[in-house]
Amino acid sequence: MLLREVEYAKPASVADALGVLAQNDGARALAGGQTLINVMKARAASPDVLVDLNGLDELKGIELAGDGTLTIGAMTTYTELMASAEAKARPILGEVVSTIADVQVRNRGTIGGNVCASDPTNHLPPLMAAIGARFTIAGANGEREVGADEFFLGVYMTAVGVGELLTKITIPAGKHDGFAAVTLGVDGTCIANAAASLDGSLRIALGCVDAVPVVLEPASADEAAVREAVRGAALDPPSDVHATAEYRTHLAEVLAVRAARQAQER
Amino acid sequence: MSDHPITVTVNGVEYERQVEARKLLIHFVRDDLDLTGSHIGCDTGNCGACSMIVNGTLVKSCMMLAVQADGATVETVEGLADGEELTPLQKSFSEHHALQCGYCTPGMLMSATALLRENPSPSEDEIKKALQGNLCRCTGYWNIFEAVKAVAR
């Protein structure tokens, strides 16, 4: 057996899931499992209870409001997002998730699981920060909504506390978005990435260079202004076997320029 | 820790078993059902040798718990052929020598089967993208792509 002993609960509703999560500090929500199950194999995490969110239709689905606002259920898989006609209202979403890992992972992995993992090398944290996503967190005392700046708190840490669940992500209308990454192999883990969104002003979010996305607002969308903003951020990224801190800092600037250019060209 | 009763239909046969929550689907299928066609290559979700089709969706069965398959319909490589009659894709793998050591083959077949169901006329790029989650450490990808291409309409 690769996994430590664990209890398993399959709640019938979000309310039930919140109840189980609140009853036990060692309970963890199981979304697509494409990160959590592997982390459990390595015993880097050993929850006492897995609360399986698969099958909760309340957490599924993509809605497009009249004003172009997209609401995406936390348990929506990458594959469902790619296939969704509604999600095409913000094309960058489907484009980016289609570059996450492989078919099998995209079939089970969820948008909520991705952001709740808050892995600095994931694609979605910087993308969500750049496009102004808002996160709805449910708990015993009802729902609250936070922006990306409040949601991502650190490596593997988010605003979703014990006894809480991310239920949906709300994304405003927009289409002038860009994303660029240098990855380990095609569609692999990001060594560095950058997302950009232009809505009057330009917002850039850099991934892989800090515990949480680094959000920048360059003075303009010009390449020189983007470069200046990244240099001014005084990045201090980690070094690892794939890239030194110096190289990651270089990539952050290059990728920010590419993402900004893509956002402008749309 | 309590066992969970599950009912799973694998390749058309219904099985009722008790499983621990921590048991992965691949271990359930291989060890409890003795269907050893699906392989374990990496244990880390990278290699795709354990790929199965669960309720019509291609998954890596080392990243799913057996208990999560309760009520599901599972297809493994053993379910492809009809007795001795191989599927066109399996025949094509044989004809194109689309394997060297053969370890990745069960997963490759399941991924390619899932692709062709969804998209019977995939382009070369679509074939490559569909098989991205399946590693062949003999690096024999070329003939695998050729085999899939040959049965694409």
Side-chain angles (χ1 to χ4, degrees):
Chain A
M1 292 280 185
L2 290 174
L3 308 187
R4 188 176 72 90
E5 287 186 341
V6 64
E7 289 287 355
Y8 173 84
K10 183 152 191 182
S13 67
V14 169
D16 285 353
L18 290 172
V20 181
L21 287 165
Q23 275 163 26
N24 190 331
D25 282 357
R28 290 290 177 273
L30 175 61
Q34 306 301 285
T35 300
L36 182 56
I37 290 181
N38 284 329
V39 167
M40 289 174 67
K41 289 176 194 169
R43 309 224 174 173
S46 286
D48 298 323
V49 185
L50 286 174
V51 183
D52 191 354
L53 305 180
N54 287 277
L56 292 181
D57 289 342
E58 298 167 73
L59 298 177
K60 286 254 184 201
I62 302 172
E63 285 172 28
L64 178 62
D67 67 354
T69 302
L70 272 172
T71 306
I72 305 175
M75 283 295 289
T76 302
T77 65
Y78 306 127
T79 298
E80 287 164 347
L81 192 65
M82 286 161 63
S84 160
E86 288 80 11
K88 301 221 173 1
R90 194 107 201 201
I92 196 78
L93 289 167
E95 290 168 19
V96 170
V97 299
S98 75
T99 66
I100 294 174
D102 52 54
V103 177
Q104 293 94 319
V105 169
R106 289 192 294 269
N107 281 345
R108 297 240 354 131
T110 65
I111 183 168
N114 188 301
V115 296
C116 285
S118 192
D119 182 326
T121 67
N122 276 0
H123 298 64
L124 295 187
L127 180 65
M128 292 297 159
I131 66 178
R134 306 215 25 106
F135 302 82
T136 301
I137 299 167
N141 300 320
E143 288 187 342
R144 62 200 167 98
E145 195 186 66
V146 298
D149 54 334
E150 293 171 78
F151 184 81
F152 297 108
L153 298 181
V155 178
Y156 313 141
M157 293 194 314
T158 69
V160 181
V162 172
E164 292 188 318
L165 272 182
L166 173 70
T167 55
K168 61 190 176 189
I169 300 175
T170 307
I171 293 162
K175 63 172 180 159
H176 302 291
D177 306 317
F179 187 87
V182 170
T183 57
L184 301 174
V186 176
D187 298 352
T189 304
C190 296
I191 296 172
N193 61 28
S197 188
L198 189 59
D199 176 20
S201 61
L202 180 70
R203 179 161 45 192
I204 290 185
L206 305 173
C208 311
V209 291
D210 207 336
V212 297
V214 174
V215 177
L216 304 173
E217 292 182 339
S220 80
D222 295 342
E223 180 177 329
V226 172
R227 287 187 184 275
E228 193 183 316
V230 178
R231 286 176 198 166
L235 299 175
D236 184 21
S239 289
D240 62 22
V241 65
H242 303 299
T244 61
E246 186 187 7
Y247 180 52
R248 253 194 193 97
T249 304
H250 167 75
L251 287 180
E253 185 176 322
V254 171
L255 295 171
V257 168
R258 287 184 193 166
R261 192 180 299 142
Q262 190 188 359
Q264 276 178 292
E265 284 169 357
R266 288 184 190 249
Chain B
M1 296 287 157
S2 52
D3 282 358
H4 299 262
I6 62 171
T7 304
V8 189
T9 302
V10 182
N11 303 328
V13 179
E14 190 178 284
Y15 298 89
E16 284 182 32
R17 294 287 190 278
Q18 300 277 331
V19 294
E20 281 187 79
R22 62 173 168 162
K23 182 169 278 188
L24 302 172
L25 179 58
I26 181 66
H27 292 135
F28 171 72
V29 169
R30 285 180 56 86
D31 301 343
D32 295 11
L33 305 185
D34 205 24
L35 294 168
T36 54
S38 307
H39 290 168
I40 301 172
C42 71
D43 271 336
T44 58
N46 287 294
C47 80
C50 67
S51 297
M52 297 177 188
I53 298 175
V54 178
N55 288 336
T57 300
L58 185 72
V59 307
K60 291 179 180 172
S61 62
C62 77
M63 290 197 287
M64 182 170 170
L65 304 173
V67 67
Q68 293 185 288
D70 184 28
T73 299
V74 176
E75 298 165 73
T76 70
V77 70
E78 289 95 337
L80 293 180
D82 183 5
E84 294 294 306
E85 184 60 28
L86 300 178
T87 65
L89 180 70
Q90 287 175 307
K91 282 182 195 156
S92 189
F93 264 59
S94 174
E95 284 158 12
H96 290 83
H97 194 67
L99 57 141
Q100 289 176 41
C101 82
Y103 201 85
C104 70
T105 310
M108 289 286 179
L109 286 168
M110 297 317 288
S111 292
T113 297
L115 166 70
L116 293 168
R117 276 184 196 168
E118 195 173 312
N119 178 5
S121 313
S123 66
E124 180 150 355
D125 281 350
E126 285 170 334
I127 293 170
K128 289 180 178 174
K129 184 107 177 154
L131 296 180
Q132 208 170 20
N134 294 79
L135 301 182
C136 166
R137 290 300 76 175
C138 308
T139 69
Y141 295 102
W142 183 265
N143 284 0
I144 295 170
F145 297 147
E146 292 298 308
V148 179
K149 248 190 284 182
V151 289
R153 290 202 298 270

